[in-house]
Each structure stands twice: as C-alpha cells, then as structure tokens.
Amino acid sequence: MTQTMDRTAQARVDAWLEQFEAALRARDVDAAAGMFAIDSYWRDLVAFTWNIKTVEGREGVADLLSACLDGTGPEHFRTTETPTEADGVVEAWIEFETTAGRCRGHLRLNDEGAWTLLTSLHELKGFEENKKETRPKGVRHGVIEERRSWAEEREREQAELGYAQQPYVVVIGGGQGGIALGARLRQLGVPALVLERNDRPGDSWRKRYKSLCLHDPVWYDHLPYLPFPDNWPVFAPKDKIADWLEMYTRVMEVPYWTRSEVREATYDGAQWTVTVDRDGETVTLHPKQLVFATGMSGKANVPSFPGADEFEGDQHHSSKHPGPEAYAGRKAVVIGSNNSAHDICAALWEHGVDVTMVQRSSTHIVRSDSLMDIALGDLYSERAVAAGVTTDRADTIFASLPYRILPQFQIPVYQRIKERDADFYARLEKAGFDLDWGDDDSGLFLKYLRRGSGYYIDVGASELVADGKIKLVRGQVDHLTKNAVVLSDGTELEADLVVYATGYGSMNGWVADLAGQEMADRVGKCWGLGSGTTKDPGPWEGEQRNMWKPTRQPGLWFHGGNLHQSRYYSHFLALQLKARFEGLPAPVYGTQEVHHLS
C-alpha cells in the first residue's frame, strides 16, 4: 500500500513539475499561477527574485512571474527523492536550474495544486565554491624560486587588505553573524573584511555575564562548513562558544580586524567611505557593500528613569552585567522578565543576593525540556539525526513553512506543552507571574520572529520565582531614589544594584549612529513580520524586515539573528554579494517597503 501511495505521489509531483516548467518556458504566467491553490504561498530565497520574498495566492504568483520570469530562465525541475503523502498533502524535495545558478526547493501539493513552494539559490554557475572534488590542493608541487609558504601568504594578505587592497565588502560586527558571513564570502572568493571592536573573536559572548549559556540546543546552532563535534554539550556555555568562534575565525581564514571600531560611514552613490579606529590608528576603507552584522541583541535599550543620576548603587544594562560575585549579601532589582532577566536573577540568588524581578508586561515561559522534546525534537535533536534529518534538511523544512501559516503549525505544539506542564504554569501564576503564549497562542518561535523579545526558555529560574526565592513584583517603574526603585503605585524596592534587562533596539539604530538618521529612516525598522501583534505593527511583510536582503539604501545590508539564522541566511546573503562582485545581473523584485522607522 505504501509503495502504491509513493508512486502516486511521485506521479502527481512529476506531472505538476512538468506542467509548471512548460508554462514557464512558454511564458504563460496565467497558466503557471493557475497551478497554485487559491490559498497558496511561494517563498523565494534569491532564486527568482534576487530577494528574500514570499508571495501569496495566484495573484501574487502571477505578479512575481510577470516581473522575474524573463530574466530567470528556470528549467530542469525534478525531484531529488521519492515524494511522500500524508493527510492529503504531498511533499517533495526538488531541484532546478536558472540562467544564473543551481537551485533547490520544497513543494507541497494539495487537491487544488501547489499549497507551498520554496525555491532557493544554492550556487552560482561558474562561481561555485571550491570543495570536495574541486577543493584547493594547498601546495604547488615543483621547484619554485622564492616560494612563499601558506603562512607567509596569509601574512601578506592580512597586511595588504584594507591598505593596498580594498575589500569589496565590509562587515561591521565580528560576532557569530559576521564570522559566519565572513567564512561564506571567503569560500566564494569575495574580498571582505570583518570589523570587531572587541579584543578577540568571541568576546561578544566572552564578556557577557558568566552564567550565560545557549538556550538553543547544539543541533540548532552549527556554524557553516564546520559543525560542532558529536561530544559538544547540548547547551554550550558562553565561554565555550566564544573559544569556538575564535578558533573558527582562524581555521576558516576569515579576514578579521579586532580592536576596530567604525566611527563613520558615508555613501557617494558608488562606494562607501568607512572610517575605522583600528587600535588607535585611523584607517579609511572604501567598500562597495556594507553589512551591519551588529546583531539583533546589539544596541541596548537603556531606559531613562527620573532619579537614575541620584542612585548611589550600581546600575547597568544586562549586556554589561559583570556577574553576581560582587553583590553577595546585598539587594538587587532586575527590571525585566525575559531571558536575560531570569538568568541574571538566578545567578544573583545563587550567590546570596536578595533579588527582586520587576515584571512590566506579560512573558511567555517554556521549559527547556519540553521545548526540546515537543517543539524541536523532530528537526533538531539526536532523534532527528537518527531519522536522517540533517541540519541542512531541518533548515529547509523550517524555511519551507511561510510565516503566514507558521502559527497554525505552532499553536498545537504549544498547546501540548501547556497541557504537559500544567502544574508548572499553575505554580507560576499562583506566585503572581503574568504568563502569555503570544497574541494568538503560537508560542516562542513566533514571538521571536515577530518582536525578538517577550519570552524565557526556563532552565531553572522559573522554579525560583514560583518558590518565591526570586521575589516578584508587577508594575511600571516611576523613578529611582538614592537607594531604591519606586514603582508607579508607590512601592519602594530597596536596591544596591539595578539591572536593566530591558532588551535591545532595532538594528537600523546603528545606521543612525554611523551614517546618520536620514539613512536609517530610508531603510526603516529591522526585524518583525508586520503581523499586527504586540510590538510587531502591520502591515504584513511576509518576511523579516530588511534582513539578509537588499534594502532601500544601495549597498547596505543587515545580517543577524540566532546561530541558526546566521548559519542559514548567511548563505543567501553571500550569494547576493557574490553576484554583485562578479557583475552578474541581479534585478530585485519586491524591495522592502518602509512602514516603520524604528
């Protein structure tokens, strides 16, 4: 029976692909659009649109094809493995070619036609990465006068880049995002330079509070080319991640300047002028492309409360928190109730600090074990690996679900978690904690994609809150006195330390700092889907605002997100930059509209 169903699924997919390719070859846009379901979604990652773009319905498909088809030349659509069928939906892994490159994708068919289609550019023809059979030899055999060793060539390159040789791409920010993109560009032969203001690669992790660990599991967090070893911990401590990033930067030969801070960036219509303070030396760079890889969690939101200048204790943003040791036996107030707030509160409590968490708005909590098992287990786990779900396959499955319909897949997941951990949530609410599950009960991933905040993956701190060991108050801060935080209802919280676990601002804030507010407003807000939910105002965007794709400012790009997004989307950003470096036609369809400035 299964073999019969597989053959039927294969026949359905083969017929759809054949008809779709024929319609594209004939430039029959209406026929091709008619092969999609009425409610359908086509997500394209650079292959057709030279953009990261999702269109919806037959009208959206027709618009995309009308704009992109002539210059794309799609052909040779085929499956790469036997399609499957479940609950009336056929799923297929596909590949095809365009004039510019070789592409991969994923297709879901229902009774009306294509329900979801993912198309993604895998490599550019003629500009493939040198790997496997085409990997570099590493040595020139024979007798060569004045031969230079690998180390000498690297030393020469490092000395010339930024001086005698200008980089085509400058990446501002040498954390996980900048390092991953730098490695991608290196493999593609694009002259690039990553700038990091810290002393060493990995310092963006190394310098955070000492108890910080990744809350995402190892299978979700691999870097490009060089995955973590099989004995790597499930949740890596920050210093271990920092050391890995430092090693990775060296091994992958990422062109990388430390102690280098950008002071100003201007654009003249053809190239950038980037002024850099490199360990006290002023260096001027002239790249064609500028990437802000300063991270979603890069520009701290530090509130300005009346009386803050009168407070006699220590106060700092969570990103500057040195750790709990100096505060043993003292009183701390942590303003905020998301990931950093919980982590810092727990570490303070462990070191004998009388700590109070100020919850200003509701927070989504999910226990790490439940998240691992129910939400991530089928894609990113040892169980998934055993079932043949590689990281690359898991990334593609996740990418194949358009953001519009992602909630309908997530809501049942978090309903199961809610039921499984009902006693845990009852205890938290009894302690006065204000819980939520997202505006539509879709849970953590949608909260992250929509606003990048408002949640905590519980690795123990919630138990301290439920038990009253971490004190909890709800309300808004009105002002500070010399020794207390005062809430709007008059509650006074004595404090020797105030930690502002108040999150981070939009990445275009860095553009405002370095290139001016006018340019920042030209590109608009970064991150969010336009879902119309809390802190994610509409209209609907369909993709992350301004991330990994062309912006309204020529030559300006944004790269960021968690380790998973850094790994996956750095590939598509690097291909876009490579195409421009090689002078390939790359007409952009659906450039990001600007609806919000920050």
Side-chain angles (χ1 to χ4, degrees):
M1 179 66 177
T2 300
Q3 290 180 345
T4 301
M5 289 179 63
D6 287 346
R7 283 198 297 270
T8 301
Q10 183 74 63
R12 284 185 62 187
V13 172
D14 287 345
W16 192 92
L17 292 176
E18 182 179 348
Q19 293 171 31
F20 186 58
E21 183 171 341
L24 298 183
R25 189 183 305 112
R27 301 298 188 262
D28 192 339
V29 168
D30 290 338
M35 297 180 64
F36 284 74
I38 294 173
D39 293 322
S40 55
Y41 310 87
W42 181 356
R43 188 174 193 218
D44 182 67
L45 307 179
V46 187
F48 279 74
T49 61
W50 291 102
N51 199 353
I52 294 178
K53 184 72 175 177
T54 298
V55 295
E56 301 183 6
R58 293 170 178 170
E59 183 177 344
V61 171
D63 190 73
L64 184 155
L65 288 175
S66 296
C68 303
L69 186 52
D70 284 343
T72 304
E75 60 183 357
H76 304 319
F77 286 82
R78 54 199 176 271
T79 58
T80 58
E81 59 187 75
T82 303
T84 59
E85 183 172 0
D87 301 323
V89 176
V90 173
E91 292 194 47
W93 297 80
I94 65 173
E95 61 184 14
F96 62 98
E97 296 181 22
T98 64
T99 303
R102 298 175 189 89
C103 307
R104 296 176 178 177
H106 186 276
L107 171 68
R108 292 184 182 88
L109 296 176
N110 62 20
D111 291 340
E112 294 181 349
W115 176 35
T116 71
L117 175 63
L118 172 71
T119 51
S120 64
L121 181 63
H122 176 62
E123 61 184 3
L124 293 165
K125 292 178 179 176
F127 304 103
E128 298 83 359
E129 293 184 11
N130 292 320
K131 58 185 180 181
K132 296 185 177 179
E133 293 85 355
T134 61
R135 72 177 73 214
K137 185 175 287 187
V139 65
R140 293 171 63 192
H141 289 154
V143 178
I144 301 170
E145 290 186 6
E146 300 183 4
R147 177 196 294 270
R148 284 188 292 206
S149 68
W150 171 86
E152 289 169 331
E153 285 289 352
R154 289 284 292 129
E155 185 177 355
R156 178 193 60 79
E157 178 190 22
Q158 291 168 359
E160 291 181 356
L161 187 60
Y163 297 92
Q165 180 191 0
Q166 284 296 314
Y168 180 75
V169 180
V170 163
V171 181
I172 302 176
Q176 63 204 36
I179 289 171
L181 180 60
R184 298 275 196 193
L185 293 170
R186 177 78 175 181
Q187 297 309 305
L188 285 168
V190 178
L193 180 59
V194 180
L195 304 178
E196 171 58 42
R197 61 186 176 183
N198 283 310
D199 294 335
R200 298 162 58 191
D203 273 355
S204 54
W205 285 92
R206 197 176 281 113
K207 292 186 176 182
R208 296 291 302 278
Y209 55 91
K210 77 170 192 176
S211 62
L212 178 63
C213 286
L214 286 180
H215 288 183
D216 298 321
V218 61
W219 307 276
Y220 187 76
D221 291 333
H222 294 300
L223 271 67
Y225 309 113
L226 193 61
F228 297 116
D230 289 344
N231 62 353
W232 194 262
V234 175
F235 302 108
K238 71 175 182 72
D239 295 291
K240 195 170 181 67
I241 285 289
D243 289 345
W244 181 268
L245 290 172
E246 186 169 28
M247 177 278 298
Y248 182 95
T249 304
R250 292 179 62 86
V251 169
M252 297 306 297
E253 302 178 13
V254 177
Y256 195 97
W257 285 2
T258 56
R259 296 186 290 277
S260 297
E261 187 162 5
V262 176
R263 297 301 187 189
E264 185 180 29
T266 59
Y267 188 72
D268 67 5
Q271 67 178 12
W272 292 88
T273 297
V274 181
T275 305
V276 183
D277 179 346
R278 188 186 186 194
D279 199 18
E281 175 192 7
T282 299
V283 182
T284 303
L285 303 173
H286 294 289
K288 301 290 187 182
Q289 311 290 337
L290 186 63
V291 180
F292 279 78
T294 46
M296 252 194 67
S297 300
K299 192 165 183 62
N301 276 332
V302 182
S304 179
F305 294 126
D309 57 342
E310 300 174 9
F311 182 70
E312 294 179 351
D314 292 345
Q315 56 180 320
H316 47 248
H317 189 265
S318 58
S319 60
K320 303 295 184 183
H321 183 59
E325 290 82 3
Y327 304 103
R330 302 170 75 183
K331 293 185 177 182
V333 173
V334 177
I335 299 170
S337 56
N338 297 335
N339 266 332
S340 294
H342 278 83
D343 285 348
I344 290 170
C345 283
L348 289 167
W349 180 86
E350 288 175 343
H351 285 75
V353 180
D354 181 343
V355 59
T356 300
M357 177 188 293
V358 178
Q359 186 179 28
R360 300 183 298 165
S361 59
S362 64
T363 306
H364 172 55
I365 305 289
V366 59
R367 295 176 66 197
S368 178
D369 289 348
S370 297
L371 183 73
M372 287 273 295
D373 182 24
I374 298 175
L376 289 172
D378 290 339
L379 293 180
Y380 300 99
S381 70
E382 209 60 46
R383 180 179 88 219
V385 172
V389 183
T390 63
T391 299
D392 181 63
R393 189 178 184 88
D395 288 348
T396 305
I397 292 170
F398 196 76
S400 74
L401 292 171
Y403 293 131
R404 177 78 83 176
I405 61 173
L406 188 57
Q408 73 186 62
F409 290 87
Q410 294 292 296
I411 289 169
V413 168
Y414 288 92
Q415 182 60 41
R416 286 175 60 197
I417 291 174
K418 186 186 298 186
E419 294 168 357
R420 170 171 162 166
D421 296 329
D423 291 344
F424 166 76
Y425 291 115
R427 291 176 57 233
L428 269 178
E429 289 184 316
K430 186 177 180 180
F433 198 88
D434 188 6
L435 289 165
D436 74 57
W437 293 82
D439 289 14
D440 54 2
D441 292 333
S442 59
L444 186 145
F445 287 122
L446 267 300
K447 263 207 163 186
Y448 171 71
L449 292 167
R450 290 165 174 170
R451 52 183 281 192
S453 65
Y455 54 84
Y456 168 56
I457 301 173
D458 178 41
V459 292
S462 288
E463 291 294 333
L464 297 176
V465 174
D467 291 341
K469 295 174 180 177
I470 294 174
K471 298 173 184 177
L472 176 70
V473 295
R474 286 164 54 181
Q476 303 300 317
V477 175
D478 184 78
H479 65 278
L480 275 64
T481 66
K482 66 180 183 179
N483 59 3
V485 175
V486 183
L487 304 185
S488 56
D489 66 358
T491 300
E492 291 195 22
L493 305 172
E494 289 186 30
D496 303 298
L497 165 69
V498 177
V499 180
Y500 300 109
T502 46
Y504 299 85
S506 174
M507 288 175 65
N508 69 327
W510 289 109
V511 179
D513 289 348
L514 300 179
Q517 191 64 51
E518 181 181 349
M519 187 177 291
D521 290 347
R522 188 178 307 137
V523 298
K525 177 181 173 66
C526 298
W527 208 260
L529 304 174
S531 63
T533 57
T534 303
K535 295 190 178 181
D536 184 29
W540 178 248
E541 306 281 2
E543 292 290 345
Q544 292 286 0
R545 294 184 187 94
N546 281 319
M547 301 301 298
W548 316 295
K549 59 186 178 181
T551 67
R552 289 281 169 181
Q553 169 58 49
L556 179 64
W557 310 77
F558 294 95
H559 177 52
N562 58 29
L563 280 159
H564 157 261
Q565 290 170 309
S566 175
R567 172 186 67 249
Y568 187 66
Y569 290 102
S570 61
H571 176 58
F572 302 107
L573 176 51
L575 287 172
Q576 293 173 82
L577 294 168
K578 174 66 171 179
R580 286 159 175 79
F581 174 66
E582 299 295 349
L584 301 180
V588 178
Y589 168 78
T591 304
Q592 178 76 57
E593 297 287 345
V594 177
H595 300 291
H596 309 283
L597 301 183
S598 62

